[in-house]
Amino acid sequence: MKGKIALEEHWESPDFPATGSHNFTDDEYFSAVQTRLQEFEKRIEDMDRNGIQTSILSLTQPGIEGITDPDRAVKLAKQMNDHAAEFFVCKHPDRFKAFASVPLQDPEEAAKELERAVNELGFVGALVNGYSNIGDEHTAQYLDEPQVRPFWEKAAQLQVPVYLHPRIPLPHQQRIYEGYEGLLGSAWGFGFETATHAIRLMLSGLFDEYPDLTVILGHLGEGLPFTLPRVEHRLRHQRPETHGNHKKAPTEYLRNNFYLTTSGVFRTQALIDTLLEVGSDRILFSVDYPYETMEEISSWFDQCPISETDRYKIGTENAAKLFQFNQ
Amino acid sequence: MKGKIALEEHWESPDFPATGSHNFTDDEYFSAVQTRLQEFEKRIEDMDRNGIQTSILSLTQPGIEGITDPDRAVKLAKQMNDHAAEFFVCKHPDRFKAFASVPLQDPEEAAKELERAVNELGFVGALVNGYSNIGDEHTAQYLDEPQVRPFWEKAAQLQVPVYLHPRIPLPHQQRIYEGYEGLLGSAWGFGFETATHAIRLMLSGLFDEYPDLTVILGHLGEGLPFTLPRVEHRLRHQRPETHGNHKKAPTEYLRNNFYLTTSGVFRTQALIDTLLEVGSDRILFSVDYPYETMEEISSWFDQCPISETDRYKIGTENAAKLFQFNQ
Amino acid sequence: MKGKIALEEHWESPDFPATGSHNFTDDEYFSAVQTRLQEFEKRIEDMDRNGIQTSILSLTQPGIEGITDPDRAVKLAKQMNDHAAEFFVCKHPDRFKAFASVPLQDPEEAAKELERAVNELGFVGALVNGYSNIGDEHTAQYLDEPQVRPFWEKAAQLQVPVYLHPRIPLPHQQRIYEGYEGLLGSAWGFGFETATHAIRLMLSGLFDEYPDLTVILGHLGEGLPFTLPRVEHRLRHQRPETHGNHKKAPTEYLRNNFYLTTSGVFRTQALIDTLLEVGSDRILFSVDYPYETMEEISSWFDQCPISETDRYKIGTENAAKLFQFNQ
Amino acid sequence: MKGKIALEEHWESPDFPATGSHNFTDDEYFSAVQTRLQEFEKRIEDMDRNGIQTSILSLTQPGIEGITDPDRAVKLAKQMNDHAAEFFVCKHPDRFKAFASVPLQDPEEAAKELERAVNELGFVGALVNGYSNIGDEHTAQYLDEPQVRPFWEKAAQLQVPVYLHPRIPLPHQQRIYEGYEGLLGSAWGFGFETATHAIRLMLSGLFDEYPDLTVILGHLGEGLPFTLPRVEHRLRHQRPETHGNHKKAPTEYLRNNFYLTTSGVFRTQALIDTLLEVGSDRILFSVDYPYETMEEISSWFDQCPISETDRYKIGTENAAKLFQFNQ
């Protein structure tokens, strides 16, 4: 399939090692990843070979969110966005778009930087790598917390989506991984951390306040198409004050305020479950390059047993509508 | 459908408040649950009305596992098993079977108690409520830890399955639930806690040592049919020493050493995903009574769009084979 | 679910016994059907009870298509359309719309009558009951035959869809039903007859000539979501002149020129197959009243395991777009 | 996947052009088919390349069934079975098994020949190419007709399955294909003809008389997983005498007396529908060689999104049990 748009495609600048710790990862794999993060020629070749017309780029995780000093976060976010604009988007405007990095350690500044990135640099939204550290690596701010609302207000006003990308669980939550540290990252810990974060957003009432706000989740919604209906079912018996201020059922937000991408997943069974839970208008193709190969995700996607109508929607049409691209 | 066998059906003795904390739960709901946990006449009426021939009973969570004093755990496990035998199984041997409570705080004693329960009381296996506290509520022992092997050796020798039931995450893992404490329990926290526990078992090499060992998971495998293929995919790039001593792929253990039950789930989309991941021979009907109603789970199950062949397998035949019941 | 639109809903006038032969059908059933065909009050009560806002009515099969004398067909088609307008649509314009009957025995006249029905009576398209008899009951004209093109040209020009409804196989095709005459009708014969008719349309090149032409099939596409991919696969090895003048693959027409309705079907397994072959934008709710009950089809549809997004599309939104209704 | 067993694999002897007419088929394709039908070395190479351990061979259609003279049919059936034994099975007993050809023009002789083939030649059942011509090509005997019962009695007694293979519709049923003769064969006509034949068997009461009788259908049951539930639903309103003497619901026979193979189909959507209607114990891998290539069917099957448990069942285990092979 030609003309695909991919949304969870990462980059890194030589000036800032955004990937943080990778203690558990195979060195050979990680070093190849890092090389790929920083260049764009092989990336375009890969895109050409795999029918990907457009990659929407984002600073790799934990990126700005892992910086404990708010001032440094503000400064670095701008610098990184400028770098992405200069070295990727401007060089190949027909192939690269970008999500802004935002310094959520200071939500007002995050809102300003989002506005600048969208209006001045032509970025198409923001990508947030989970919670933001503030002060130290043990302290985290989640996106549903009240002080973050100015950022969401700006996203709603600009009508741009926010991609909620995973990051590693907080240190004091790592006890359950003892002896299996390899599970902490994208293999397992990322998914639970991010799914919980997304549930917090739903329950917080954010989407009642901004009904048109759009959040994007990778990895087919971090399992939520399978797990969220049970959450909803069980919350019936929990006292209301223990699960936020939401006015609607969680699955209603999932269907109406979220898009789910195929990043890092090529499992037809899970895709069918997702299709039967949220419908094909809310699924988007993505790779998670360079952590994943375009070959694996694309060759699966191009042939997986869905209708050609849905393949075109998921591969191209939904993203083109969401971002108002001319296709 | 008549003749169903249900496996995640709980009881409690008036002598021991096994349910522990329920701070987040609606009081009216919880009080009805507690009444139902302790009696059996309404339970049998419910079973009759919903086509459930046999309930396999287990002490409700966290039960013995939440007792921080090992000696008390050993003593109480015996007492509870005797109670279940006397007040449930012996009174209605054609309607009730039981899983043993086992004091895993002392794995040798747990092995002994399992043997006694199976050989002397006619119990059909054990149900374990997640990690066991030892000493205090902050200290947990997971079932993959080396000192627990004598228990598994006994289960393998007796050829009985072990049901891994959820319990609430450890205190220091609760930060991510701040402001949403209602998510801590069965709504969300239970599932991640238990899925992680199950992955630890797979990665530990336990099933390479005891290839015929059988573990049962509730709630359609706590999401693993959807999430485990990605874990497996990502572990490719993790250094081997960071993910245990397993010899096979995680999904291979899921298909060959696990059974997954429908307890607390009545979502056809998730059932189809499960069917396409593990096959119908490995799925078992269950309710999670009295936390769930037999009506909701049964009326869904009896009509959900699977073949009648698979309905009979899941509802009756698979469990009858696993436990060698005469049907 | 409220607000559903149903498209394969039949009526009959006391002046013309449009149902023809019903030798094989249970008398009690058929007599109840006939009563329901001719009245509208119970119909509206049924619609209210089952969340159906709008029924698009059509003269029951074989209707005009079974009239062997072209002149009589022309006259009767007009008379029946006037009757539908007067006794149904005008009385309850907010609840009833109509498909025109068209005298295809004279395709030019069929085109004219379609135009009159749409422009003067406000009808929303035509419903055609399979082949048309010409001269006698052994002679049939299929809709792909060259002389029928003026009718299609008019439908394309008016931008209205044509519902291809089943009728019984021709007499000389009935040998295979010997001893099982009950299979001839909707139980089996209708489906094959109509699926073949639809394949002929695809292969004829009709949709290459009129790329925006829309045909609607009932009964989840008469099995084509399951069977058409094999037809397409096997035609690779047939000589081109033996399968029409089509320029595209048959499944491409199915996805782009057809809508498939749920009339008379309430089988989730088949719906999922259909969803994975044509996508939810091309499926429409329908009952096939009064041959089917609104209760059976609606209660299944309202709860079948698809996303609420797709339920709304199939139940209401797709039809509202197709017919440009204000919802 | 290694070790697959394939069941709809055809051969032809140079002494008897069993394929009959092939007017509509591309000549180059057909000539390659015919070469492949008669040799076995390339066939074994293909099997090796595609992980097929065993092919169960059958005389290609219409074979014996198309012979209008009963005496010639009896004589030729024996001759063909001897040929299959000598030139295929005996030469590679570890790779080839065979279904007997049976002269159903004389059902008593068919029973005798089945017995001889099973007991003396080691054949594993029979394959029947649809109706049998008797006297001329316009006269057909279907397998549910009373005079055929001695053949079924013998199959039941020998406990061997009968594969019901398609053949072209009878001449007087070909009107609907006018102008589209390429549809008459495997592209479309075969499927309807065979599905109807199978429904006749179900409705005739045959499986009430011989409850353990097993019939195998190719092409994922010729569409019946999708279409049969509607047949069953509609028969409610047909007078009983119009649909045979069956005691059970048609879908019950489909699940309990039939196996469905993947011959000629590689469509995951249809396989999932089949899995959800009959369960994985009743599906068998097959190719339909040399009309289909082993590459296309195998490469699809080896990777289609079903559980590995079901893949092994469908690919190997179900057939091994049915035919009591040592695997």
Side-chain angles (χ1 to χ4, degrees), chain B residues 81-82 176:
Chain B
N81 290 334
D82 288 341
I176 199 172

Side-chain angles (χ1 to χ4, degrees), chain D residues 153-202:
Chain D
E153 188 184 357
K154 181 59 69 185
Q157 181 201 315
L158 294 168
Q159 298 181 40
V160 292
V162 174
Y163 201 121
L164 178 58
H165 187 278
R167 68 176 293 197
I168 218 156
L170 282 163
H172 45 278
Q173 279 151 356
Q174 300 183 5
R175 162 70 179 86
I176 200 173
Y177 300 92
E178 253 182 51
Y180 304 91
E181 285 76 11
L183 289 173
L184 264 169
S186 60
W188 181 242
F190 276 26
F192 168 70
E193 172 68 32
T194 312
T196 308
H197 201 160
I199 293 173
R200 291 175 59 128
L201 289 176
M202 294 173 194

Side-chain angles (χ1 to χ4, degrees), chain A residues 163-180:
Chain A
Y163 200 120
L164 178 56
H165 187 277
R167 68 176 291 194
I168 218 158
L170 281 164
H172 45 277
Q173 279 150 358
Q174 299 184 6
R175 162 72 178 83
I176 200 172
Y177 301 91
E178 254 183 50
Y180 304 91

Side-chain angles (χ1 to χ4, degrees), chain C residues 197-214:
Chain C
H197 201 159
I199 294 173
R200 290 175 59 130
L201 289 177
M202 294 171 194
L203 301 186
S204 72
L206 175 67
F207 302 110
D208 302 313
E209 198 173 337
Y210 302 109
D212 296 329
L213 207 55
T214 295

Side-chain angles (χ1 to χ4, degrees), chain C residues 28 36 64 76 117 122-123 128 130 172 188 204 207 272 298-299 319:
Chain C
E28 196 177 344
R36 293 275 182 163
I64 302 304
L76 208 52
F123 284 19
V128 176
H172 45 276
W188 180 244
S204 72
F207 302 110
I272 292 174
S298 284
S299 64

Side-chain angles (χ1 to χ4, degrees), chain D residues 126-140:
Chain D
L127 182 142
V128 176
N129 292 299
Y131 59 83
S132 297
N133 291 122
I134 300 182
D136 62 53
E137 59 162 345
H138 299 275
T139 312

Side-chain angles (χ1 to χ4, degrees), chain B residues 23-73:
Chain B
N23 294 339
F24 316 121
T25 308
D26 176 74
D27 282 339
E28 196 176 345
Y29 165 74
F30 190 74
S31 124
V33 160
Q34 207 154 26
T35 306
R36 292 276 184 161
L37 277 169
Q38 300 191 6
E39 66 78 63
F40 63 82
E41 290 177 2
K42 282 184 196 146
R43 190 188 288 254
I44 288 180
E45 283 169 26
D46 261 15
M47 290 166 63
D48 287 342
R49 246 196 321 273
N50 290 287
I52 298 175
Q53 172 59 32
T54 308
S55 284
I56 304 181
L57 302 176
S58 51
L59 185 61
T60 193
Q61 71 82 36
I64 302 305
E65 288 74 3
I67 297 172
T68 51
D69 171 8
D71 289 345
R72 192 171 165 244

